[in-house]
Structures are given as C-alpha cells and as structure tokens.
Amino acid sequence: MRKGILFIISGPAGSGKGTVVKELISSHSDIALSVSATTRQPRPGEEHGVHYFFITKKEFENRINSGDILEYTTYRDNYYGTPLKEVKKALDKGKDIILEIEVDGAMQVKRKIRNSVAIMLTPPDFDTLESRLRGRGTEKEEDIVWRLNRAKEEIQLLPKYDYSVINENGKARECADMVYNIIKAEHQKTKNTKKDLIKKFI
Ligand code: 5GP
C-alpha cells in the first residue's frame, strides 16, 4: 500500500495559505488536513474541531506533558500545536497529511519526521503581503504590525524549506495545483517507490 507523506505548509500572514490549502483539500480526497490545537480565541465564523481545537492553556500544557503533541510553538502569546495521534492515524492509512503551521513548528517536524516535505507559500512581495493583511480586516493594528514584523523573520527561513511557491493575487487555484504537483512528484521519488517496484521484477 502507498504510504502517506507528511507535508508542511507554512507562509507568513497574508500568504493566502488558508485559501490555498482549502482548495487543495476540497479537490483531493486522498489528502487530509491536520486540525491544530490552540489557546487563542476563535475568530468570527471559526468552529471548534474544524478550524482549530480551541482549548485552554492548562489543557494545552497537559497535552504537551502527556506527549500528545507532535510540535508546538507560541505565536502572539498563544500556544499552537499539532495533535500527534491524528497525524499518525492518517499516515498509517496511506493518506497524505498537511500541517499548516508556522516556521518554528515546521523546523521541529522536519527534525522529527525525516521523510516530511516542507513547502513555503509566499505572496509575490512585501507590499502585497501588507495590503492583504490589512484588507482582511480581522486583526487589530497592533496585531497587524506584529505579523508584518514576524513575516520578515519567517521569510529568512526559506532556505530551510524544500520548496517555495508564490501565491499571486487571485491565483489560489493555480497555487494549489502547483502544491499538488509537488505532492505527486514526492511520491515518485525513488526513496518512496524503490521497495515495491524492484520487488515486481526480481
Ligand atoms: P492564526 O492565528 O492566524 O490562525 O495562526 C497563526 C499562525 O500559527 C499561522 O502562521 C499558522 O500557520 C500557525 N499555526 C496554526 N496551527 C499551528 C500548529 O499546530 N503549530 C504551529 N507551530 N503553528 C501553527
């Protein structure tokens, strides 16, 4: 059976990664999205268990201590982390799984899961990033400034990622297709095909 691969998708605020990931998941049923846990407050329209598991700081710390978190970080004074069990289950079933996480968590996963693949989505440039972030109107000015500065730090980790994909304005579909092409190509890497394929010949 084909083995699932873990894909990390990161991108600074304003990279449009949420939209791209939604496009990708909705058109490919063999790819699952990991739902993270967080201690931040839900934004309007966000649902528990769908967008995040919204839990308390105490619950989050209990989960860290019980080893149930694959990676975690603090972002804007809130914890964000990936529940381990669901990721394992999906990979064991042969599903590819996507973690939509920031750079610190991404580096933890790359260290722990050697076969994982990290993709960074970026807007075309900083000005586009800023106008997207301001345009969505979901954050206070203070949050926007914090996220803009954070974006400058995050982009410097680009060389540690395996792939970068630019998400041009209005091109989320094309960007999702590019990510899907990367996913397909990763499955064709000989490290992922050699065992089964050679067996069929000798
Ligand atoms: P937001 O508050 O905008 O939903 O997310 C803030 C940042 O946290 C985003 O960069 C998002 O990708 C990241 N994030 C979401 N879930 C996780 C997670 O489980 N682990 C880590 N390390 N980052 C996450």
Side-chain angles (χ1 to χ4, degrees), residues 17 36 40 43 52 71 73 75 80-82 100-102 105 147:
K17 60 185 183 298
S36 296
R40 91 149 155 72
R43 296 192 188 117
Y52 283 104
E71 62 70 37
T73 196
Y75 185 97
Y80 290 80
T82 304
E100 188 201 315
I101 62 177
E102 54 66 67
R147 282 170 192 251

Side-chain angles (χ1 to χ4, degrees), residues 34-191:
S34 157
V35 179
S36 296
T38 184
T39 59
R40 91 149 155 72
Q41 290 301 306
R43 296 192 188 117
E46 283 185 335
E47 278 177 55
H48 181 79
V50 177
H51 298 91
Y52 283 104
F53 293 106
F54 296 99
I55 61 177
T56 63
K57 192 167 176 239
K58 183 141 199 322
E59 280 176 282
F60 200 104
E61 287 169 350
N62 286 342
R63 293 187 76 165
I64 297 171
N65 294 333
S66 62
D68 184 29
I69 295 281
L70 170 62
E71 62 70 37
Y72 72 96
T73 196
T74 48
Y75 185 97
R76 201 78 181 107
D77 295 334
N78 283 305
Y79 281 125
Y80 290 80
T82 304
L84 179 61
K85 263 189 235 143
E86 284 73 12
V87 170
K88 269 193 170 163
K89 239 191 264 170
L91 291 176
D92 288 346
K93 279 193 202 151
K95 272 203 161 198
D96 291 328
I97 189 142
I98 298 212
L99 309 186
E100 188 201 315
I101 62 177
E102 54 66 67
V103 292
D104 177 30
M107 295 303 110
Q108 294 173 46
V109 176
K110 287 272 310 162
R111 280 194 298 273
K112 285 190 183 165
I113 303 184
R114 300 286 294 276
N115 202 29
S116 59
V117 179
I119 304 167
M120 188 181 276
L121 299 189
T122 72
D125 50 51
F126 189 77
D127 287 351
T128 310
L129 183 152
E130 182 164 6
S131 62
R132 282 185 192 168
L133 199 49
R134 293 191 180 284
R136 72 186 187 192
T138 45
E139 282 95 3
K140 293 188 220 121
E141 176 63 20
E142 181 195 343
D143 278 325
I144 291 174
V145 171
W146 189 90
R147 282 170 192 251
L148 288 173
N149 287 330
R150 171 81 180 200
K152 289 188 175 175
E153 288 168 19
E154 288 181 332
I155 200 77
Q156 292 178 54
L157 285 169
L158 187 77
K160 295 199 182 294
Y161 280 71
D162 302 297
Y163 295 92
S164 63
V165 180
I166 296 175
N167 183 20
E168 302 280 354
N169 283 345
K171 301 272 188 212
R173 174 75 262 160
E174 287 81 348
C175 188
D177 288 344
M178 177 66 85
V179 173
Y180 190 60
N181 288 338
I182 293 171
I183 293 176
K184 283 196 296 185
E186 281 297 322
H187 278 283
Q188 298 314 123
K189 283 209 162 149
T190 51
K191 69 175 178 189

